[in-house]
Structures are given as C-alpha cells and as structure tokens.
Amino acid sequence: MLPPEDVLARDLAEWLPRQRWFGGKDSPIEDLAIGVVTELRAGDPGLYHLVLDVRQNGATEHYQVLLGVRRDLPGRLGYARISPPGGAAKQQTYDAAHDPDLTRTLLEHLAAGASAGPLRFRHVPGARIRTDLTSLPITAEQSNTSLLFGDAYICKLFRRLGDGVNLDLEVNLALTRAGCEHVPAVHGWIELAPGGDGEPVTLGLLSDYLRTGADGWSLAIASVRDWFAHATQPEDDEWAELDASAAGGDFAAEAERLGAATAQVHRALADAFGVTVVPADEIRGLAARMNAELTGTCRAVPGLAPHAKALTGAFIDLAAQAGPLPVQRVHGDYHLGQVLRSESGWSLLDFEGEPARTQSERRALSHPLRDVAGMLRSFEYAARFLITRSGTVPLESGGHLETRAHAWAARNRAAFCRGYAAAGGADPAAHSVLLRAFEFEKAVYEVRYEARNRPAWLPVPLKSLAHLTA
C-alpha cells in the first residue's frame, strides 16, 4: 500500500535531485506531482510504476520511477531508500530498479505481453523471453538506468520521458527487423498508452546483452597508454615519435573494422527509413548556422578565437560548394563510448541522439558523414585523455606526449575512414569539405561544452584544433 500522496510527493521531491539521472540539478523543483500510478505487484514487497510531473523554471518534465514498498527495508537496499530513515511511516519506499526481487516482474510482463493500467509490455513476434533471471543495475549510467538480467538481456529504463516513441527503440527495432548484425537485437519494450491521439511514450527497452563486449573508449585508451609507454631507442630519429604502429597495442585494425561496421549500419538505416535529397539552399543555411555558433562561442571562450579564421573558412567553403545533398537517419551522437567490441565484431548502441536536443532535432535527417566526424573527434579525445587526466604533462607544453597523441589520432582517423569507404560509405576523402565542416562544427560544440562543464578539459579540443587547422 502506498503512503499518502502528499507524503510520497514530498519524499520524492527531496530524493529526486540527488539522482545522477535527474536532469534539473541546476534549478530548484517548484512543484512535483504524481501524474500516473500503476500497481505492478501487490503485497510486501509491492511494486508501483510512477510518472512524475516535475516543474522547474516554469516548464514541466516527466520522469519515471519504479517504486518499491516494504514494511521493513533490508540493509542491502538502504542506499536506494526514498522515504526518510527513522520516520514514523508504516511503509518504506525505495527505488525498486535496485531490487531483483521486484524487477523480475518486468520480464514476466514482457514475456506475457501483458498490460497493467496504461502500461503496455510488448515483445517482438517470436521472441521467447526468459523470466528466471536476476537483475543487476549498471551504476555507471547517468541519464538512464540499465538493468542486466543474467548474461542474456539488458533493460534500459528511460528516466526522463520524451514525447512519443523513443528514438533508441524506433531505430533499434527497425534495424533488428532488418537483420542488422551490428546492433544488439531488441526483444521487447515497455510503453505508456497515450491519453489522446498521440503516440505511446517509450518507457523501457529490452535487448541482447553483449556479455563479451568491451566499449570502444576503453579499448582506445588502452592503446594510447601502450603507445605512450613505448620506449624509443637513443639512436632513433624524431620520426619514431610519429610511428604509432610501433607499439604493441595498436588500435588501427580495430578502427578500420569499426569504420566498416559504421558504413553497414548507415546503409541499413537508409534501407529502413529512406533517403531524401535536400537542395543547396539548405546546405548554405547549415553553413550559416555553423558560423553563427562559432561567433557566439568565440565570445564566450576567447581561447577559440585564434582558430576562428580557419573554422570560418571551412564553413565558407561548405557554402560555396553547396549542392543537392542526400540525407538520412544517422546515429546523431556517435563516439567511442557508443560502440562495443565483442567476439562477433563491433556493435553500435544508444541511438537517442544528443541529450540536450529536442526530439524533433534528434530525429532530423543528416548526411552520414556527420557520424564519421563525431567518431574522428572521439579519436582526438582518446589520444589526449591520459595527458589531461594525469596533469603531469600539460597539453600546452608541446612535449613528446602531445606529438605522440597527434600521431595516434592521425593513424586511427585514417584507418576508420579507410574502413568506412571500403564498406560502401561515402568516401571521406572525396567529401573533404563537408567532413571538415562537420568536424569543426563538432569541435566548436566541444569547446563550448568543456568551458561550461569541464574547464580542465578545454585544452583537448583546442589543441586538436591547432593541428587540424594548421
């Protein structure tokens, strides 16, 4: 049985800002209302699904919470507590995403294709979902909560709810139905029925768990670490610092295979969602927006100003050479943290797009080289991560580690582009003006983001720009 609604709302308003996935930490909660309550399991422990209406800065966002209710909360769940400890409440409330005794209910409902109030549990036709698995939450995620069920499934719960079908479900389901081997297969999803004629709202996504997978960022960092530790001989000349293939942990072969996998997913996206050709005027408008963002960022971050002439030149070149351009669905937020390498090859994850953008912006079509540019920027970040984190060799010092970082990034950028073109993607070398504009646009975004959120990281995009604009 739930506590009184006013008590529960008060407890949730105090608990919510402390959660890593809550997106409004920079502003106080003006009002919190419990919009939808659905009982998923009666008894002790009980399980309820809540949709919270959270008002901040005059706007309302919607969050979902799996609420557990117990008379006595065991110590293993104390960290997930919502109701204040030591209170007089007869029922203790907590975040049930952390309770394997309750999360199995999600598998049972998905396997049965059940409905509970406005909640619908769907599975892919023919999918046989196991219900005997114990869940474990992945604690590293920030914007969502993912549960591992044994070594079979991963269930992503979208904490902050958007309007309609979530892009991650829409894209992954289409690619699963198309038989694309470079995405984890979707088995089912959870949705909230619309109140009127709108689309159902996606709440969760169940897909294959790639238990042997290692994320691309970790693999790349291990390669950079090996290259930095690689010792040259006293008789070696200066070119030894530029031969990133000399280290044992060379990543270039994997970068090339990743490029090929990316091209294959782009082709599958084109087949699933179609391709549209936009006129030259739209490309010129895109270049103008890129330049406007550059101007604003230079005002906010003076350190970008020395590169402004070269960046503007790239955007001017894009406008000058603008012509009709094919656009399609793309990943939209593509980097080394969004890919996994398993025994079966590379897989692409998280097709939600950039979190700060609206649903319509995320769903907007673009040229596939925008994703290529995102991955090229990610190689630049990986190359300099260890220097920035250690602080022992400042990026500004021009030391040999920066020389090595540039060599590593250049080698893996070239390998990725080579694999992408060989697998049928648009040849980056033949579209250098477009790719350069996309990459510089992304770099300007990175400068703005780092200045606001991680000032210690600001030298990373600035130093890479010094090389790329030289």
Side-chain angles (χ1 to χ4, degrees):
M1 181 178 177
L2 285 173
E5 185 169 327
D6 60 333
V7 173
L8 181 57
R10 181 199 63 207
D11 292 346
L12 286 165
E14 294 178 359
W15 170 81
L16 197 62
R18 301 196 299 270
Q19 307 315 301
R20 294 179 69 183
W21 41 262
F22 180 62
K25 294 185 179 68
D26 58 344
S27 302
I29 293 177
E30 298 166 5
D31 184 59
L32 185 149
I34 302 172
V36 181
V37 179
T38 306
E39 185 180 67
L40 296 178
R41 172 175 160 167
D44 187 359
L47 177 62
Y48 297 83
H49 181 274
L50 308 183
V51 176
L52 309 180
D53 303 332
V54 181
R55 187 171 182 82
Q56 293 179 284
N57 298 319
T60 301
E61 297 282 355
H62 307 285
Y63 291 85
Q64 69 163 321
V65 173
L66 286 176
L67 187 78
V69 180
R70 289 176 180 261
R71 183 173 294 276
D72 297 302
L73 191 65
R76 63 183 174 84
L77 293 172
Y79 72 99
R81 177 188 295 274
I82 294 175
S83 55
K90 296 181 179 179
Q91 298 291 335
Q92 303 297 309
T93 59
Y94 60 101
D95 184 357
H98 299 268
D99 188 352
D101 294 340
L102 293 178
T103 52
R104 189 174 289 117
T105 303
L106 303 179
L107 289 185
E108 294 168 351
H109 282 45
L110 284 165
S115 294
L119 270 61
R120 301 168 179 168
F121 296 80
R122 306 299 195 205
H123 57 246
V124 174
R128 300 184 64 180
I129 298 174
R130 292 177 57 184
T131 60
D132 60 338
L133 300 174
T134 298
S135 70
L136 179 69
I138 298 178
T139 57
E141 252 192 300
Q142 295 187 21
S143 57
N144 301 303
T145 298
S146 288
L147 308 177
L148 297 184
F149 283 98
D151 60 358
Y153 310 123
I154 183 167
C155 180
K156 181 192 288 188
L157 299 174
F158 302 106
R159 291 293 197 164
R160 188 178 184 177
L161 303 178
D163 296 329
V165 178
N166 187 282
L167 269 176
D168 208 19
L169 170 62
E170 182 181 359
V171 173
N172 274 298
L173 188 57
L175 294 177
T176 296
R177 287 168 172 165
C180 181
E181 61 183 11
H182 293 295
V183 296
V186 174
H187 295 283
W189 66 96
I190 309 169
E191 62 187 27
L192 182 70
D197 298 328
E199 292 183 323
V201 175
T202 307
L203 302 174
L205 171 63
L206 186 76
S207 55
D208 275 339
Y209 172 54
L210 304 178
R211 61 183 180 84
T212 64
D215 69 273
W217 176 259
S218 298
L219 295 174
I221 293 301
S223 172
V224 174
R225 182 180 289 110
D226 186 75
W227 168 228
F228 282 0
H230 175 69
T232 56
Q233 301 302 315
E235 64 271 16
D236 289 339
D237 59 27
E238 62 180 312
W239 294 104
E241 298 289 358
L242 301 177
D243 184 11
S245 66
D250 187 23
F251 189 71
E254 287 300 339
E256 187 168 349
R257 283 189 278 268
L258 177 58
T262 304
Q264 291 162 14
V265 171
H266 280 160
R267 187 164 58 249
L269 287 170
D271 291 342
F273 295 101
V275 177
T276 300
V277 176
V278 297
D281 282 350
E282 289 197 22
I283 307 306
R284 285 189 283 269
L286 172 64
R289 291 192 296 275
M290 291 176 173
N291 202 53
E293 290 181 7
L294 168 63
T295 300
T297 305
C298 283
R299 284 197 294 265
V301 188
L304 182 60
H307 309 295
K309 183 177 180 180
L311 297 172
T312 298
F315 303 148
I316 291 173
D317 288 346
L318 176 61
Q321 298 186 26
L325 191 71
V327 294
Q328 62 168 80
R329 285 287 185 88
V330 297
H331 185 283
D333 187 25
Y334 199 45
H335 53 77
L336 286 163
Q338 304 282 43
V339 293
L340 282 180
R341 180 66 165 91
S342 67
E343 57 191 12
S344 60
W346 284 102
S347 295
L348 279 63
L349 312 174
D350 297 334
F351 287 83
E352 292 182 76
E354 292 181 338
R357 300 193 182 276
T358 65
Q359 280 283 82
S360 60
E361 288 174 329
R362 298 181 194 185
R363 191 170 271 111
L365 306 182
S366 188
H367 193 279
L369 286 180
R370 183 181 290 278
D371 282 346
V372 173
M375 187 57 69
L376 297 185
R377 295 300 309 152
S378 194
F379 285 128
E380 297 286 340
Y381 262 67
R384 294 169 175 84
F385 170 75
L386 294 175
I387 305 175
T388 304
R389 187 185 66 172
S390 68
T392 57
V393 181
L395 287 175
E396 294 82 2
S397 71
H400 81 104
L401 286 189
E402 170 56 29
T403 301
R404 288 195 170 197
H406 176 59
W408 186 94
R411 176 172 174 77
N412 288 283
R413 286 162 60 97
F416 179 86
C417 290
R418 184 167 59 248
Y420 185 79
D427 185 358
H431 299 78
S432 58
V433 171
L434 179 62
L435 179 61
R436 190 172 178 83
F438 278 145
E439 186 173 359
F440 284 177
E441 177 194 33
K442 185 71 171 178
V444 170
Y445 167 83
E446 291 165 357
V447 168
R448 186 171 65 250
Y449 178 87
E450 302 300 5
R452 291 175 178 174
N453 299 280
R454 299 185 299 190
W457 280 67
L458 185 56
V460 175
L462 292 178
K463 196 66 177 182
S464 69
L465 279 173
H467 284 292
L468 295 174
T469 60

